[in-house]
Amino acid sequence: QRSTDSVLIVRGEHLFLMNCAHCHGKEATGDEGPNLHCIHKTDARSSAIVQNGTKGEMPRFDRKLDANDVRALIAFLRSLG
C-alpha cells in the first residue's frame, strides 16, 4: 500500500506542476490561486472543484484530467499536510 501511495503522490505532483502550479505556485503555497496546504475539503469536494472548476476563478479540468489523474492530484495535495 505504501509504495502505491508514493507512486500516486509522485504522479500527482507531476500533474500539479503541469496544470496547477502556474496559479497556485510551484510549492502550492498560493499565488493567483489559493494556498493548497492543509486543505479542509473532502476528497469528493476537491475532485468536483478540479473537474468542474470555480466560476470566474478556476478553469475546469474534466476534459484534461481523468478520474485517476484527479485521484493522484488529490493524493499529492493531501501529502502537503
Side-chain angles (χ1 to χ4, degrees):
Q1 180 68 26
R2 188 75 157 154
S3 65
T4 302
D5 289 346
S6 297
V7 169
L8 202 60
I9 290 167
V10 168
R11 183 167 168 234
E13 181 178 21
H14 174 76
L15 290 166
F16 177 85
L17 291 171
M18 296 291 100
N19 297 284
C20 313
H22 63 280
C23 286
H24 293 282
K26 188 176 176 184
E27 304 296 322
T29 53
D31 188 9
E32 190 177 324
N35 184 334
L36 297 176
H37 288 256
C38 300
I39 55 174
H40 299 289
K41 293 176 175 27
T42 64
D43 288 357
R45 181 67 185 128
S46 296
S47 178
I49 291 169
V50 170
Q51 291 173 324
N52 302 320
T54 305
K55 188 174 182 175
E57 295 180 23
M58 182 177 134
R60 58 188 309 147
F61 286 91
D62 60 337
R63 291 189 177 150
K64 187 170 187 180
L65 303 176
D66 66 22
N68 290 325
D69 292 336
V70 174
R71 192 165 55 94
L73 189 55
I74 291 170
F76 168 67
L77 295 176
R78 293 277 179 233
S79 78
L80 298 175

